[in-house]
Amino acid sequence: ITERKRAVQALEASEERLSDIIFSMGDWVWEVDANGVYTYSSQKGIDLLGYSREDIIGKAPFDFMEPEDAARMRVLFGEIAANKEAMKDLRNWNITRSGERICFLTNAVPMLDKAGVLTGYRGVDKDITAHTRMEEVLLESERRLSHAFSATSDALWEWDYVSGTTYYSPRWYEILGYGNEELAMNFEVFQSLCHPDDYQGMLDRVHSVLVSQNQKGYESVFRMRHKSGDWIWILGRGNVVKRSGSGLPLLLSGTNTDITERMQAESERAKLQEQLAQAQKMESVGRLAGGVAHDFNNMLGVILGRAELAIGRSNSTQPLYSDLQEIRKAAERSADLTRQLLAFARKQTVSPKVLELNETVAGMLKMLQRLIGEDIGIKWHPSADLWPIEVDPSQIDQLLANLCINARDAIADIGILTIETENSTFDEAYCVSHPGFTVGEYVRLSVSDNGIGMNQETLSHIFEPFFTTKGLGKGTGLGLATVYGVVKQNNGFINVYSEPGQGTTFTIYLPRHSGKVGPMRTEEHVVPAARGNETILLVEDEQAVLELATELLENQGYRVIAASTPLGAIRLAKEYSEEIHMLMTDVVMPDMNGRDLSREIVSLHPNLKCLFMSGYTADVIAHQGVLEPGVHFIQKPFSIQKLAATVRDVLGELKS
């Protein structure tokens, strides 16, 4: 039996080798019969599941699987066994004895007898739990990334630096207004859509991160053309995410963000900040004008008054007479400059009246023609049924005079000046789309010329005080600043349109007067003021002005009680036993303002008339420069004629 003994030994050696191989494989080797019941299990299966060999043999694989996988695998096993097919890469989750989940990858081949009848399957289960869980983590990460892509407003991109291929996420095409199939984005298309002024700068930033391994990414702001044709602003970010061992860039990745709304908001904010700075600058000039005007007008009043007194006492044949005339003219010009500053600063005291603008402008045409000269024609286009406005008539004079002078200086030789009026109504929707307009009903006054026009730089400064394009000594730069101040003081607004070589149009909108319409403006005829004999209590803290006003009033026949302080005036009023007909007082004084002083004096002399005087408006007698009804006011500096006429008017005894 030697050969049989050798065969048995060889078989045992073969089985031992097979057992060693199965053990070293690290996988579970098993066999099942035709019904799917385990008939053999290697030690690895016992180790993996935690059950004994006796617990496994005689059981089916489905008995150890999770319920869902067990149901699926039963059906699948039946189909495979019916066709005597092999099992390939069947993934299934199982439950170990300790309750842990373990994933197997099953591969098996059918076992057939000599007649070809299926007797079972011989297979291998590989433990792929760690791998499967890594796949699940990766899938979850991809799911989250996909959700993040869909939720973000940023477009993602990648650039394979070696092959030159690029990838852009669908969001990039949405930002540009295209569907995914409408545009094939590559470098050439990108360059064609990028603004030519921005493309090179964007490339330079990308290049900086390519050549520097220490740079942590880049940012670049550039414009791209939208499908609609509009330019949109893009914030591009990127970095090299993969380099070779020698540091050469291999892969770049980044995002593109649509920041058009942000850029527009920043532009609007910059404009608002510029407007705020401009308003603050103008407000500073206004405060300066108001502060200077009081003392400056006091001094001008003394110069003007003394010059007029000296002129009245001298003869026109005397050499000194012409010098006095020049002093008076210089003082008047200085007073005009101060008035313009006050008008700009909205500190000009005004007495609004209901006006029919067409009548007011028509009455000024002859004066305006003389102002601009015969070489410039005036075209007047009044609109029918024009709404009334409530404005101080002298302010309309200021507006038209300054605008016409500005137009005259813009016309080199022969030209045309056009003045138009019209009713205008602006609703909220119109004002939203037209910055600078205000909701309401307005009367429009337009002054146009066919002169040299202005560029944008000049337009941005025209309402600034002392800004002028005229030569040295040919302009004060206060004309249009005065216009601006007058319009704002009357709650209106002004727009300017101009282009070089195309002329200029100033359009002023003044609020419609919706109250009861009273008598319109009539021409004022200057008549010599009658002399008086009433008693006037004069209060002025500036000694030179006090002395001058006293002399001027006494020359007109009035009895003057002069006081340099409010307290002194109250004392004199108490001591004076006879009637005091009028109180003439400065508005701004130490210890007590003119309005409070008038109340004290009126309590002592109830029939007293009051006349306030000041170099600039004060809130104690005027709100935003508008005089309260029944308040009498005279602007410093004043001439002898103006003082005499105003005093007689207040006293109610004006005679021709």
Side-chain angles (χ1 to χ4, degrees):
I1 62 173
T2 303
E3 290 299 323
R4 187 171 65 181
K5 187 68 174 179
R6 287 174 178 169
V8 170
Q9 290 175 344
L11 179 60
E12 290 176 348
S14 177
E15 288 179 347
E16 186 178 355
R17 285 195 298 270
L18 181 60
S19 177
D20 290 341
I21 292 171
I22 292 173
F23 181 80
S24 64
M25 284 176 59
D27 296 334
W28 179 16
V29 179
W30 50 262
E31 288 182 2
V32 295
D33 61 17
N35 295 319
V37 175
Y38 283 117
T39 58
Y40 169 77
S41 172
S42 68
Q43 183 62 38
K44 190 64 176 180
I46 297 170
D47 295 340
L48 289 172
L49 290 176
Y51 291 98
S52 66
R53 191 180 306 274
E54 290 74 18
D55 292 332
I56 296 175
I57 302 301
K59 296 286 183 70
F62 322 116
D63 296 333
F64 301 98
M65 292 182 187
E66 288 187 340
E68 290 184 3
D69 279 8
R72 177 175 59 84
M73 290 295 289
R74 266 197 188 93
V75 174
L76 192 57
F77 179 81
E79 294 174 351
I80 292 174
N83 296 318
K84 303 176 184 179
E85 296 175 343
M87 300 180 190
K88 294 183 179 179
D89 295 334
L90 302 183
R91 186 176 303 202
N92 50 92
W93 281 96
N94 296 259
I95 306 297
T96 68
R97 187 168 190 170
S98 63
E100 295 181 5
R101 298 173 73 243
I102 186 170
C103 187
F104 290 141
L105 186 66
T106 301
N107 286 276
V109 295
M111 296 186 297
L112 305 174
D113 61 12
K114 292 181 179 181
V117 177
L118 180 71
T119 61
Y121 276 89
R122 181 179 294 121
V124 177
D125 276 1
K126 185 177 184 64
D127 180 7
I128 59 169
T129 306
H131 177 74
T132 303
R133 284 175 177 165
M134 287 180 62
E135 285 184 343
E136 289 178 343
V137 171
L138 180 60
L139 288 173
E140 178 64 17
S141 176
E142 289 178 349
R143 184 188 65 80
R144 290 176 179 173
L145 185 59
S146 177
H147 288 172
F149 284 176
S150 61
T152 184
S153 59
D154 294 347
L156 308 177
W157 58 265
E158 281 189 351
W159 174 22
D160 188 322
Y161 191 68
V162 178
S163 66
T165 57
T166 57
Y167 163 78
Y168 292 91
S169 67
R171 175 60 183 153
W172 179 235
Y173 299 95
E174 292 178 12
I175 290 174
L176 296 176
Y178 293 93
N180 289 352
E181 304 300 324
E182 289 185 87
L183 190 67
M185 183 62 69
N186 54 40
F187 284 116
E188 290 74 19
V189 174
F190 189 99
Q191 183 175 1
S192 68
L193 295 178
C194 187
H195 196 288
D197 293 343
D198 302 340
Y199 184 70
Q200 188 58 49
M202 184 267 297
L203 282 185
D204 291 342
R205 290 185 178 273
V206 175
H207 183 261
S208 66
V209 78
L210 288 174
V211 299
S212 174
Q213 298 186 45
N214 298 323
Q215 186 171 331
K216 302 300 182 182
Y218 75 90
E219 286 190 0
S220 177
V221 175
F222 53 92
R223 286 164 288 179
M224 296 289 288
R225 187 177 292 281
H226 191 269
K227 183 180 178 181
S228 64
D230 297 330
W231 291 106
I232 60 174
W233 286 93
I234 302 296
L235 171 61
R237 295 188 178 96
N239 196 11
V240 177
V241 295
K242 187 177 182 182
R243 292 182 183 271
S244 67
S246 60
L248 294 176
L250 300 178
L251 183 67
L252 287 84
S253 180
T255 62
N256 288 336
T257 308
D258 183 359
I259 59 169
T260 304
E261 291 186 3
R262 186 200 310 174
M263 295 295 288
Q264 290 173 344
E266 289 178 357
S267 177
E268 288 298 320
R269 184 163 58 249
K271 289 180 181 178
L272 290 174
Q273 288 176 341
E274 184 179 350
Q275 291 172 357
L276 176 62
Q278 181 73 358
Q280 290 173 335
K281 180 167 62 176
M282 291 186 169
E283 183 66 23
S284 298
V285 174
R287 287 196 297 268
L288 176 64
V292 170
H294 181 264
D295 294 334
F296 190 57
N297 278 333
N298 276 340
M299 292 183 285
L300 282 177
V302 174
I303 295 171
L304 182 60
R306 291 299 179 187
E308 288 186 332
L309 285 175
I311 289 172
R313 294 167 183 164
S314 60
N315 191 296
S316 59
T317 59
Q318 294 177 325
L320 190 61
Y321 186 84
S322 60
D323 294 333
L324 293 172
Q325 289 282 19
E326 291 302 319
I327 292 173
R328 180 181 62 81
K329 290 178 183 179
E332 289 175 344
R333 286 195 296 271
S334 299
D336 288 339
L337 287 176
T338 309
R339 277 192 291 271
Q340 285 182 302
L341 270 176
L342 290 173
F344 158 74
R346 284 168 269 172
K347 294 183 179 294
Q348 179 179 233
T349 306
V350 295
S351 298
K353 294 180 175 60
V354 177
L355 302 177
E356 209 292 319
L357 187 58
N358 284 343
E359 292 183 8
T360 304
V361 175
M364 294 181 62
L365 291 178
K366 290 183 179 179
M367 182 273 289
L368 294 175
Q369 187 67 71
R370 290 194 300 269
L371 193 64
I372 63 177
E374 297 179 356
D375 292 337
I376 302 174
I378 296 180
K379 289 186 178 181
W380 166 229
H381 299 294
S383 176
D385 301 322
L386 198 67
W387 294 327
I389 58 175
E390 187 175 17
V391 183
D392 190 313
S394 65
Q395 290 187 308
I396 300 298
D397 297 345
Q398 284 180 311
L399 290 177
L400 284 172
N402 282 300
L403 290 177
C404 289
I405 291 173
N406 188 74
R408 178 198 66 190
D409 294 339
I411 298 174
D413 194 2
I414 298 174
I416 296 294
L417 181 69
T418 304
I419 304 175
E420 300 175 278
T421 59
E422 187 179 42
N423 295 329
S424 299
T425 301
F426 306 116
D427 58 18
E428 187 171 351
Y430 183 89
C431 295
V432 168
S433 58
H434 293 76
F437 285 76
T438 306
V439 176
E441 294 181 326
Y442 297 88
V443 173
R444 175 176 66 86
L445 172 64
S446 296
V447 178
S448 306
D449 66 69
N450 59 350
I452 59 175
M454 293 177 282
N455 57 30
Q456 289 300 315
E457 176 64 21
T458 301
L459 280 173
S460 65
H461 298 288
I462 56 173
F463 294 125
E464 295 180 11
F466 309 116
F467 175 80
T468 179
T469 58
K470 303 177 180 68
L472 187 63
K474 294 185 178 181
T476 62
L478 288 173
L480 293 179
T482 300
V483 171
Y484 177 87
V486 168
V487 172
K488 292 298 181 181
Q489 189 173 22
N490 286 281
N491 299 315
F493 59 97
I494 182 171
N495 288 318
V496 188
Y497 175 78
S498 184
E499 290 185 10
Q502 301 298 317
T504 302
T505 298
F506 287 88
T507 306
I508 294 170
Y509 296 91
L510 297 172
R512 174 187 183 179
H513 175 71
S514 56
K516 185 178 179 181
V517 178
M520 299 299 179
R521 180 190 183 192
T522 58
E523 286 292 325
E524 298 179 359
H525 300 283
V526 180
V527 295
R531 292 173 60 81
N533 56 9
E534 291 87 353
T535 300
I536 297 175
L537 175 58
L538 177 64
V539 187
E540 168 62 61
D541 62 307
E542 182 63 43
Q543 189 62 35
V545 177
L546 179 65
E547 293 174 0
L548 173 64
T550 299
E551 186 173 349
L552 294 178
L553 290 171
E554 288 178 345
N555 287 346
Q556 290 295 116
Y558 298 104
R559 185 181 303 106
V560 178
I561 305 172
S564 59
T565 64
L567 296 179
I570 295 172
R571 179 178 54 79
L572 291 174
K574 289 179 179 178
E575 294 174 354
Y576 196 77
S577 58
E578 298 182 23
E579 182 180 5
I580 298 177
H581 299 88
M582 187 178 78
L583 168 67
M584 182 175 175
T585 178
D586 194 9
V587 175
V588 181
M589 296 179 293
D591 301 325
M592 185 182 295
N593 63 56
R595 190 61 178 269
D596 292 340
L597 174 63
S598 70
R599 293 192 183 100
E600 294 287 339
I601 302 298
V602 168
S603 67
L604 300 173
H605 297 269
N607 297 323
L608 189 79
K609 299 290 181 70
C610 294
L611 174 61
F612 297 100
M613 56 180 175
S614 182
Y616 73 108
T617 185
D619 290 339
V620 294
I621 62 166
H623 177 64
Q624 294 184 344
V626 180
L627 284 175
E628 299 175 14
V631 175
H632 301 288
F633 177 80
I634 185 170
Q635 177 80 44
K636 293 180 181 179
F638 42 75
S639 64
I640 295 175
Q641 292 80 8
K642 179 66 175 178
L643 175 63
T646 303
V647 170
R648 288 308 324 150
D649 188 27
V650 173
L651 289 171
E653 296 179 5
L654 183 63
K655 298 179 181 179
S656 60

